[in-house]
């Protein structure tokens, strides 16, 4: 349920109360109340055994677990099932708390661990039905081989759990056991499959943009909304693939046979402009839904609040989760074989969402097929990103539009579809609550998906506030909001993980990618075949084909034109996998994917006939990477592994390069502001942590966004706590009598707008040419005159930034630095996020002063609406050397261990912050050389 705007919500009060109890218990465990001996014993009781031997029932043969000085394990076995059984055991040794919390989240059972404060979150997740979909995937979609591996993995986890509870699992479990006698249940294969649903949720594409555009329509005109969502700049920022075509039902890359071998800126803000169908109301088609707009916006406001409450395992979707990956052909590398880099940008977590591991068969055979290493997810078998002996692969979010929101007209007996009332498909759910009690809910589902509005009192009241007019249906018992999402249909993505791990060449890699249905990812590829190896790209994923509408706005669910149809047996029609873009050894010699447009859609030569999305990242990072590669390879230059690492740490700011020359020319009379302005003289636009210029510029940028866009946003998009006086709507005939009221933002800090990402770069790039655009108009404020032009607003932003930094960093500019403002604190994602601040040090670590920033290659993201703190990061970095895999390099955000006081809890973080990479041994000799601990698992 959304937070009460007049005070803390019941939900937050309930959650905080229970977490305070748990933190207090942890304080006792840490020795603040008990003796030091008991404290040390409790903490160390859960540390994993890493030497000697252990019996693991179910193993066919022995498994060696070899750990290096950072605790990163390499597993050696003689059968696939032994390998995955051992993987489950080792994951549980280091990360079972994380695994346990995650499975409770994916199944909507957090209340069982953390009490009544999580009931509404659980209810929303139960409504989505992740667990039911995962069960259906396991029962009906996955191959027998995959099921065998999943069961082996679960058996390994359960072997570890046998006889353990409380402090023998983790200090967090000890706190739960003391406060509520909690004991974990057995792990199941479906627990692993459900993790893919959480991954897909956080990478779900443009759902937040869809909500935001609709909410904007209550205050902004169609043209103003278009100003804020400009078209992708194909003329400046390259897409991933260029010039391909769909021919004979197959995508054919440019120059290949296809077989796979080998600006209107002057709109004012005084009143609503003329209606443009589908934009002013916030609905996809005003002709069929006119009049329902108020109810829709009310519902979407509530939905946005509900979404803010859902734990974001991977990152804040509203900021636009990003990632970088690129691959260089052998002809351009110092090694003569490809180099592949990847750094997914996700939410900073403690422990990191990634777990480094190697899975090796001692000898390849039909019963033992794996020799692979990379980044895994604790709770799921296999390697998600990494390399085997033949190929390497990386991932970035493709961002395909795979969600649609529908406004549904509902009655007690069902919902309107066409000219008929269709019964809901319903199921009952019981949410059990720690400490006793339960809550029962009914989930109602339409042909457009589950009614997410049922999970909020505000959303449920949409119909009571929705004025119906035009050709929209009568209100009846109200309107509701449904969610259609590809991940709610069972699929085979788990099959794809194992197939990719075994792939030997580009053909087998592409075949594996066909099953990677959700989330839709950009997959880059490299191999070591032939003289120079090969590089490639594949866009997999289940992407709907819409016969009406483009998915940018919520659709009228009662109109059959907007349903996802066209596939077999009346199921949704998706872009055929044969028609999804791909590339092999493009002529330019490299491939870059950084959430930019995959292809340019349209008709005619060189255009892609399908719409993957209209909400791409805008290419600031991708084009910077392209430029760096081109600069390095011109005149036959070569790129090394260290060059790839240097590119990953590039801190250059595109928006600073655009705006700084303009800021430098503005006449400033205030000597203190003029002094700050001089910091920008000679600055090279790089955002190093010790840079005073970067600190000042980013403060100016934030204030430009606030003055030009933020204060014009509806309150539903402005950050919580940002309050301003606005003119109340007049109820009488004389507008001059309208009163001024205080209006405060309602959006959470991670998803508020303007967030300052590269969409806003593009917005400002187009507007700066019009110095008198209405966007540059800002009203007078305390000792601040109104602005009417670009330079007036920029001057005011420079002044505001100067005094903001004085308050934050002190008056002495010589002490300013970007890193002091742009800090990363790693928080345990459960107990470490709430509770008394003086006790959070028990589980949290930091802060670290970081360089980089929003939409830079070193993408340490921050939301300009809420502050400068780091909200998402390169969650890991890797560079794979296909000429010598033992010379590959990797780093994790935190460390291998999830145990708060273990030496490997955050032992990689400082190196990560500096841009350093660890050696990544792969071959047997290299692994043996790096091994410091060996544990033998025996039958």
């Amino acid at each position: 349920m959304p937070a009460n705007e007049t005070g803390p919500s019941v939900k937050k009060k309930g959650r905080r109360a229970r977490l305070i109890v748990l933190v207090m218990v942890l304080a006792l465990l840490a020795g603040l109340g008990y003796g030091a001996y008991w404290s040390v014993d409790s903490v160390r009781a859960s540390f994993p055994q890493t030497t000697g031997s252990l019996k693991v029932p179910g193993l066919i043969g022995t498994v060696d677990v070899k750990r290096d000085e950072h605790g990163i394990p390499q597993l050696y076995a003689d059968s696939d099932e032994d390998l995955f059984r051992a993987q489950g055991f080792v994951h549980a040794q280091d990360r079972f708390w994380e695994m346990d919390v995650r499975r409770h989240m994916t199944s909507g059972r957090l209340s069982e661990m953390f009490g009544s404060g999580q009931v509404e979150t659980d209810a929303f997740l139960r409504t989505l039905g992740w667990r039911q979909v995962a069960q259906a995937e396991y029962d009906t979609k996955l191959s027998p081989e995959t099921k065998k591996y999943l069961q082996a993995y679960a058996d390994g986890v359960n072997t570890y759990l046998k006889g353990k509870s409380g402090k023998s699992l983790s200090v967090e479990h000890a706190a739960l056991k003391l406060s509520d006698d909690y004991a974990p249940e057995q792990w199941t294969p479906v627990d692993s499959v459900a993790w893919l649903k959480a991954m897909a949720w956080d990478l779900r594409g443009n759902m937040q943009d869809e909500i935001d555009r609709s909410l904007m329509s209550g205050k902004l005109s169609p043209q103003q909304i278009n100003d804020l969502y400009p078209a992708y700049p194909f003329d400046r920022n390259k897409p991933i693939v260029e010039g391909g075509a769909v021919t004979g039902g197959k995508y054919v890359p440019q120059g290949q046979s296809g077989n796979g071998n080998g600006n209107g800126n002057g709109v004012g803000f005084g009143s609503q402009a003329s209606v443009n169908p589908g934009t002013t109301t916030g609905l996809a088609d005003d002709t069929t839904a006119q009049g329902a707009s108020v109810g829709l916006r009310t519902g979407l406001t509530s939905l946005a609040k509900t979404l803010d409450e859902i734990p974001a395992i991977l990152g804040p979707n509203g900021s636009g989760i990003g990632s970088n990956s690129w691959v260089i052909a052998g002809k351009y590398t110092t090694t003569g074989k490809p180099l592949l880099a990847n750094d997914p940008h996700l939410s900073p977590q403690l422990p990191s969402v990634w777990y480094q591991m190697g899975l090796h068969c001692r000898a390849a055979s039909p019963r033992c097929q794996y020799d692979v290493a990379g980044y895994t997810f604790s709770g799921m078998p296999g390697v998600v990103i990494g390399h085997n002996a033949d190929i390497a692969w990386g991932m970035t979010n493709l961002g395909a539009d795979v969600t649609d929101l529908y406004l549904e007209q509902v009655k007690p007996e069902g919902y309107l579809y066409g000219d008929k009332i269709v019964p809901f498909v319903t199921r009952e759910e019981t949410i059990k609550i720690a400490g006793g009690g339960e809550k029962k809910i009914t989930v109602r589902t339409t042909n457009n998906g589950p009614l997410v509005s049922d999970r909020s009192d505000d959303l449920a009241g949409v119909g009571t506030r929705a004025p119906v007019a035009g050709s929209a249906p009568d209100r009846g018992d109200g309107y509701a909001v449904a969610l259609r999402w590809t991940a709610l249909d069972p699929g085979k993505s788990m099959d794809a993980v194992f197939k990719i791990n075994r792939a030997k060449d580009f053909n087998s890699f592409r075949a594996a990618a066909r099953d990677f249905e959700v989330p839709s990812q950009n997959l880059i590829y490299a191999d070591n075949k032939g003289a120079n190896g090969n590089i490639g790209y594949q866009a997999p994923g289940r992407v709907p084909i819409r016969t009406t509408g483009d998915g940018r706005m919520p659709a009228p669910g009662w109109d059959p034109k907007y349903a996802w149809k066209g596939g077999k047996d009346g199921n949704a029609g998706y872009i055929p996998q044969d028609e999804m873009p791909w590339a092999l050894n493009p002529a330019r010699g490299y491939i870059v994917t950084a959430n930019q447009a995959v292809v340019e859609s349209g008709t005619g030569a060189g255009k892609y006939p399908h719409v993957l999305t209209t909400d791409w990242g805008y290419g600031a990072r991708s084009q910077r990477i392209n430029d760096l590669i081109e600069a390095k390879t011109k005149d036959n230059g070569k790129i090394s592994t260290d060059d790839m690492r240097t590119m990953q740490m590039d801190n250059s700011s595109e928006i600073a390069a655009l705006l700084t020359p303009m800021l430098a020319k503005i006449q400033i009379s205030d000597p203190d502001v003029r002094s700050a302005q001089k910091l920008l003289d000679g600055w090279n636009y790089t955002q190093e942590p010790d840079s005073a210029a970067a600190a000042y510029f980013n403060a100016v940028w934030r204030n430009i966004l606030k003055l030009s866009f933020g204060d014009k946003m509806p309150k539903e998009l402005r950050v919580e706590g940002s309050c301003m006086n606005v003119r109340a709507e007049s109820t009488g005939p004389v507008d001059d009598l309208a009163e001024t009221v205080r209006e405060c933002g309602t959006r959470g800090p991670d998803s508020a707008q303007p967030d300052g990402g590269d969409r806003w770069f593009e917005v400002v790039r187009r507007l700066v040419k019009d110095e008198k655009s209405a966007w540059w108009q800002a009203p007078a404020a305390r000792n601040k005159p109104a602005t009417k032009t670009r330079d007036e607003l920029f001057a005011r932003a420079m002044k505001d930034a100067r005094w903001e930094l004085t308050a934050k960093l002190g008056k002495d500019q010589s002490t300013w630095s970007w890193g002091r403002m742009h800090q990363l604190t790693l928080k345990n994602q459960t107990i470490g996020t709430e509770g008394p601040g003086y006790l959070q040090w028990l589980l949290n670590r930091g802060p670290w002063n970081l360089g980089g920033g929003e939409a830079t290659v070193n993408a340490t993201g921050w939301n300009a609406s809420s502050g400068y703190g780091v909200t998402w990061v390169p969650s890991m970095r890797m560079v794979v050397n296909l000429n010598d895999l033992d010379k590959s390099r990797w780093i994790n955000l935190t460390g291998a261990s999830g145990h708060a006081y273990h030496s490997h809890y955050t032992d990689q973080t400082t190196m990560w912050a500096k841009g350093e990479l660890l050696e990544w041994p792969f071959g047997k000799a290299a692994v043996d050389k790096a091994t410091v601990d060996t544990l033998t698992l025996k039958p």
Side-chain angles (χ1 to χ4, degrees):
M1 180 177 294
N4 185 329
E5 295 180 15
T6 61
S9 69
V10 174
K11 175 179 179 178
K12 288 191 174 182
K13 283 182 178 177
R15 179 171 62 208
R16 186 175 296 116
R18 180 162 178 80
L19 290 178
I20 287 174
V21 171
L22 296 177
V23 173
M24 294 298 292
V25 173
L26 279 171
L28 299 177
L29 291 173
L32 299 182
Y34 286 83
Y37 173 79
W38 194 81
S39 149
V40 171
D41 174 69
S42 297
V43 168
R44 291 183 176 176
S46 61
F47 287 5
Q49 179 178 336
T50 59
T51 60
S53 63
L54 286 172
K55 288 188 177 182
V56 177
L59 286 177
I60 301 170
T62 62
V63 179
D64 292 324
V65 182
K66 301 185 176 187
R67 294 179 183 259
D68 67 9
E69 62 179 327
H70 296 285
I72 300 171
Q74 305 276 349
L75 278 54
Y76 289 84
D78 294 314
S79 71
D80 296 339
E81 288 177 87
D82 276 1
L83 206 53
F84 294 119
R85 183 174 283 106
Q87 184 181 21
F89 184 91
V90 173
H91 272 165
Q93 279 188 306
D94 283 335
R95 297 285 192 92
F96 185 69
W97 170 255
E98 173 192 4
M99 293 165 61
D100 202 13
V101 172
R102 183 177 296 151
R103 68 164 162 179
H104 279 79
M105 192 273 283
T106 58
S107 57
R109 296 171 54 204
L110 288 169
S111 300
E112 295 178 20
M113 298 183 80
F114 302 114
S116 60
Q118 294 297 314
V119 167
E120 300 304 328
T121 294
D122 284 344
F124 186 81
L125 294 171
R126 297 280 187 103
T127 299
L128 294 181
W130 293 353
R131 179 75 184 194
Q132 283 78 11
V133 179
Q135 186 70 58
E137 288 185 359
Y138 184 80
D139 292 341
T140 66
K141 293 291 186 178
L142 299 181
S143 70
E145 181 182 58
T146 294
K147 290 183 179 182
K148 181 174 64 175
Y149 296 159
L150 287 165
Q151 187 60 60
Y153 181 91
D155 291 344
V157 175
N158 292 329
T159 297
Y160 174 77
L161 290 179
K162 189 174 181 179
K164 293 184 176 67
S165 65
K167 68 179 183 179
S168 62
L169 289 173
S170 71
V171 292
E172 296 96 335
H173 279 105
L176 282 181
K177 187 170 180 64
L178 287 176
S179 65
D180 198 36
D181 199 28
Y182 172 85
E185 61 194 34
Q186 294 280 289
W187 194 266
T188 73
V190 180
D191 291 332
S192 296
V193 179
W195 161 238
L196 288 172
K197 299 304 160 189
M199 180 181 175
W201 175 252
D202 283 346
L203 300 175
R204 61 191 178 271
N206 77 333
M207 180 175 167
Q208 193 70 58
D209 288 324
E210 190 175 335
I211 292 171
D212 289 355
R213 279 190 290 263
S214 295
L215 293 174
M216 287 178 186
S217 67
K219 188 171 183 179
L220 304 181
S221 73
Q223 182 57 59
Q224 290 163 352
I225 296 174
N226 289 338
D227 285 348
L228 303 185
Y229 288 89
Y232 184 88
F234 286 98
D235 60 333
R236 191 175 68 254
N237 295 342
K238 295 177 182 178
I240 296 173
V241 296
E242 298 177 273
V246 173
T247 303
K250 293 186 177 182
Y251 181 84
V252 180
Q254 188 177 47
Q256 294 176 341
S257 63
N259 58 17
N261 297 326
N263 152 9
N265 300 326
V267 182
F269 290 89
S271 61
Q272 183 66 51
S274 60
V275 173
N276 181 28
T279 305
T280 303
T281 64
L283 284 163
D285 186 350
D286 189 48
T287 62
T288 62
Q290 184 181 15
S293 57
V294 173
L296 178 63
R297 286 193 294 272
T298 302
L300 293 180
T301 300
S302 245
L303 178 57
K305 291 180 182 178
T306 302
L307 296 178
D308 280 340
E309 295 286 347
I310 304 304
I313 288 183
L314 298 182
N317 189 273
S319 296
I321 292 180
S323 297
N324 300 323
S325 67
W326 64 94
V327 60
I328 314 291
K331 65 180 179 179
Y332 287 133
T333 69
T334 58
T335 67
K337 290 286 177 72
L339 294 172
L340 185 150
N342 196 190
D343 55 288
H345 306 155
L346 305 174
S347 175
Q349 308 250 339
L350 185 59
S352 167
V353 71
W354 300 110
Y355 184 97
Q356 297 149 288
M357 179 179 273
L359 302 171
H360 308 277
C361 290
R362 294 191 181 97
S365 70
R367 66 193 293 263
C368 201
Q369 309 169 74
Y370 293 87
D371 189 16
V372 60
Y375 294 86
T376 69
F377 288 139
S378 302
M380 197 180 93
V383 170
V384 179
I385 294 174
H387 70 81
N388 59 32
D390 300 289
I391 76 164
W393 70 96
M395 297 185 189
T396 64
N397 196 24
L398 191 151
D401 186 356
V402 296
T403 59
D404 276 345
L405 294 169
Y406 288 87
L407 187 66
E408 303 283 0
Q409 200 278 316
V410 300
K411 296 180 180 294
E413 64 273 22
Y415 59 97
L416 182 66
Y417 186 67
D419 58 359
K420 297 180 180 179
I421 300 297
V422 181
F424 295 108
V425 176
T426 64
R427 70 176 188 272
E428 303 297 321
E429 296 274 355
T430 301
I431 300 170
K432 297 180 180 179
I433 304 169
E438 61 184 32
K439 179 177 179 177
K440 296 182 182 294
I441 66 170
T442 300
V443 177
R444 300 187 295 173
T445 300
T446 74
N447 65 322
N448 292 318
L451 292 184
V452 291
S453 53
D454 281 354
R455 301 286 73 85
S456 160
D457 289 343
D458 285 344
L459 277 168
V462 168
T464 66
R465 292 184 290 272
V468 178
S471 57
D474 291 337
R475 174 167 42 237
D477 290 309
Y479 290 101
V481 180
L483 171 65
R484 184 79 164 98
W485 179 32
T486 56
L488 298 185
D489 296 327
K492 299 184 290 184
S493 293
M494 198 69 239
D495 283 347
V497 172
F498 296 114
K499 289 180 179 179
I500 291 175
N501 284 193
R502 298 193 305 263
K504 300 296 184 183
D505 53 31
F506 192 57
N507 283 341
S508 55
F509 177 76
R510 289 191 68 207
R514 297 179 70 92
D515 288 337
F516 205 94
E517 296 167 325
V518 292
S520 187
Q521 298 289 286
N522 296 306
L523 298 178
I524 60 164
Y525 166 94
D527 67 37
N528 53 20
K529 310 297 182 183
N532 296 113
N534 300 284
I535 64 173
Y537 166 82
Q538 178 67 58
R542 186 189 289 159
V543 183
I545 299 174
R546 295 170 178 85
T547 55
T548 302
D550 59 9
R552 287 174 58 85
M553 290 286 187
W558 52 82
D559 191 336
K561 293 187 303 183
Y562 290 88
W564 290 5
K565 285 193 173 181
K568 294 180 180 179
D569 303 320
N571 294 321
Y574 302 110
I575 299 174
Q577 285 297 302
D578 285 341
E579 297 183 14
M580 292 291 283
W582 61 277
L584 177 64
N585 296 324
R588 65 180 178 272
Y590 61 88
I591 302 169
V592 175
T593 85
N595 316 112
Q596 80 272 40
V598 174
V599 291
E600 186 171 3
S601 297
T603 58
K607 299 293 182 66
Y608 187 63
H610 302 297
V611 176
L612 296 172
T613 186
T614 58
D615 288 308
W616 306 109
Y618 280 80
R621 283 180 288 109
S622 63
Q623 194 55 44
R624 175 62 178 173
I625 297 167
N626 274 299
D627 292 344
L628 290 170
I629 294 170
E630 290 179 5
K632 191 70 179 178
T633 57
K634 70 179 181 180
D635 301 325
N636 297 316
K638 304 290 185 179
I639 293 176
S640 68
T641 301
D642 197 55
D643 291 330
M644 301 285 273
R645 182 200 66 82
T646 299
M647 292 180 194
Q648 288 179 325
M649 293 301 295
D650 183 79
N651 286 328
S652 179
S653 169
E654 179 187 272
I655 194 63
L658 174 68
L659 296 184
T660 298
M662 300 179 190
L663 297 173
K665 294 177 182 179
I666 294 175
Q667 296 298 312
I668 300 293
S669 58
D670 186 315
D672 289 316
V673 181
R674 189 166 64 250
S675 176
Q677 183 186 34
K678 289 181 179 179
L679 290 172
L680 304 177
D681 292 347
W683 181 44
N684 64 357
Y685 318 129
T686 59
Q687 302 169 102
E688 299 300 329
D690 61 354
S691 172
Y696 182 59
F697 173 79
N698 281 315
V700 174
W701 169 237
R702 180 173 184 246
N703 281 278
I704 287 174
L705 291 171
K706 178 181 182 294
L707 292 169
S708 53
F709 308 108
D711 290 347
K712 300 178 179 74
M713 290 285 173
K715 68 179 186 299
E716 295 87 356
L717 271 68
R718 298 202 312 272
V719 70
E720 290 176 320
S722 63
C723 300
M724 56 189 294
N725 292 324
V726 299
R727 191 179 179 85
E729 291 293 334
S730 174
T731 57
V734 183
D735 287 341
D736 290 342
L737 296 182
E739 296 180 356
T740 297
V741 297
R742 194 71 168 161
E743 182 186 81
C744 297
T746 63
R747 183 64 68 87
D750 287 344
S751 58
Q753 294 294 330
D755 61 32
D758 68 351
R759 172 164 67 87
W760 295 99
F761 290 13
E762 193 64 23
V763 169
V764 171
R765 179 186 294 277
R766 298 184 184 209
L767 286 172
V768 290
K769 300 173 185 178
D770 182 0
E771 297 185 27
K772 296 183 180 181
S773 167
W775 290 105
W776 306 128
Q777 298 173 9
R782 192 179 307 166
N783 299 320
K784 299 173 185 177
T787 67
K788 296 183 179 179
T789 68
R790 180 195 70 193
D791 286 355
E792 288 176 354
L793 185 139
F794 282 12
R796 182 165 157 183
M798 293 170 73
K799 182 176 182 179
D800 289 351
R802 173 48 162 121
W803 299 117
E804 182 183 2
L805 264 62
T806 297
K808 291 180 180 295
L809 304 178
K811 189 173 182 179
D812 184 358
Q813 294 174 188
S814 68
T815 68
W816 291 2
S817 70
W818 175 226
R820 287 179 60 198
M821 297 167 63
H822 192 53
Q823 293 185 324
L824 169 67
T825 297
L826 293 171
K827 295 185 177 183
N828 178 288
Q829 289 301 293
T830 50
I831 299 173
T833 59
E834 297 191 47
Y838 66 91
L839 288 177
Q840 290 192 14
W841 62 269
L842 291 169
L843 297 176
N844 301 343
R845 299 294 183 269
W848 285 265
N849 295 348
L850 299 186
E854 192 71 30
T856 62
V857 181
N858 182 23
T860 54
W862 54 286
N863 188 306
S865 289
S866 54
Y868 304 95
V870 176
T871 58
W872 47 284
V873 295
S875 56
M876 61 80 159
R877 299 185 184 100
M878 74 175 193
V879 178
V880 182
N881 182 332
L882 273 299
N883 183 61
D884 186 346
L885 292 169
D886 289 330
K887 292 183 179 179
S888 301
R889 298 291 182 264
W890 62 354
I891 197 77
N892 204 351
L893 173 64
T894 60
S897 181
H899 299 288
Y901 300 98
H902 197 279
S903 61
H904 300 315
Y905 192 45
T906 56
D907 61 330
Q908 298 185 49
T909 307
T910 297
M911 292 180 286
W912 169 92
K914 295 178 180 178
E916 298 174 2
L917 298 175
L918 300 175
E919 293 185 356
W920 182 356
F922 179 72
K924 180 68 162 52
V927 170
D928 287 345
K929 183 179 179 181
T931 297
V932 297
D933 286 337
T934 300
L935 173 68
T936 300
L937 305 180
K938 297 181 176 181

